[in-house]
């Protein structure tokens, strides 16, 4: 309920405002001595009314991994897909699935080519989704068993936060 004293004194003496994600943290910060008119709540990027865990019975029938985000070098998309294929060869793991929603409008031609190469593998375990509608996206995410996100760098990673909100175990970098 308290910020570390050295950190709190630094923000108190140097910051104009303190932004936090919840009313609870706002109140704790005010109680510690930060001026109430300078503490603002900026809600998280995920609506808990839409993104929430489902029962085990609602999970996909096939054990499902999911990768969501732009197909690009920074997000290590190609490496994650390659690692998945190496770890789960079709002859040993025929009953699992990998869902990819990785379109990239900024590199459309290259990404479309890479996705076409994946489709040409004729691996029935791969499902490629192109910008599914929001309600479908949420249901797919909720029904997945594992979310993969191994970006080289991230500013926010909303799909990761959404998967965590849905209770989906996530493999990601810190």
């Amino acid at each position: 309920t308290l910020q570390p004293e050295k950190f709190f004194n630094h923000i108190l003496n140097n910051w104009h405002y303190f932004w936090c994600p919840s009313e609870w943290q706002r109140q704790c910060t005010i109680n510690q001595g930060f001026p109430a008119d300078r503490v603002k709540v900026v809600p998280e990027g995920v609506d808990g009314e839409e993104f929430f865990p489902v029962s085990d019975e609602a999970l996909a029938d096939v054990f499902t991994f999911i990768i969501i985000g732009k197909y690009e070098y920074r997000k290590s998309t190609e490496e994650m897909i390659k690692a998945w294929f190496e770890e789960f060869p079709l002859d040993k793991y025929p009953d699992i699935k990998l869902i990819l929603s990785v379109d990239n409008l900024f590199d459309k031609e290259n990404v479309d080519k890479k996705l076409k190469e994946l489709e040409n593998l004729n691996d029935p375990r791969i499902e490629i989704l192109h910008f599914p509608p929001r309600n479908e996206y949420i249901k797919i995410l909720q029904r997945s068993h594992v979310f993969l996100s191994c970006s080289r760098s991230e500013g926010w990673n909303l799909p990761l936060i959404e998967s965590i909100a849905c209770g989906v175990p996530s493999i990601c970098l810190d």
Side-chain angles (χ1 to χ4, degrees), residues 63-67 84 88 96-99 144-146 148:
F63 195 90
T64 303
F65 295 84
I66 188 165
I67 299 173
W84 189 87
F88 304 109
I96 64 172
K97 184 178 190 176
L98 175 62
I99 297 176
S144 296
H145 294 88
V146 177
L148 302 174

Side-chain angles (χ1 to χ4, degrees), residues 68-70 72-77 79-80 149-160 172-174:
I68 299 170
K70 285 189 294 188
E72 65 180 11
Y73 175 80
R74 180 179 61 82
K75 295 203 178 262
S76 302
T77 313
E79 291 84 353
M80 285 190 291
S149 176
C150 296
S151 298
R152 289 176 169 85
S153 65
E154 276 292 346
W156 187 245
N157 202 343
L158 190 54
L160 173 61
C172 59
L173 296 176
D174 64 7

Side-chain angles (χ1 to χ4, degrees), residues 113-163:
K113 180 182 173 203
K114 290 180 181 292
L115 293 177
K116 191 58 144 173
E117 289 170 5
L118 282 173
E119 289 172 348
N120 289 339
L121 293 176
N122 292 320
D123 189 325
R125 305 172 304 158
I126 305 299
E127 181 178 349
I128 299 172
L129 303 176
H130 301 283
F131 298 111
R134 184 174 176 80
N135 62 334
E136 182 183 332
Y137 163 75
I138 295 169
K139 286 179 184 171
I140 291 166
L141 188 57
Q142 289 172 320
R143 295 190 56 182
S144 296
H145 294 88
V146 177
F147 181 86
L148 302 174
S149 176
C150 296
S151 298
R152 289 176 169 85
S153 65
E154 276 292 346
W156 187 245
N157 202 343
L158 190 54
L160 173 61
I161 297 167
E162 291 168 343
S163 72

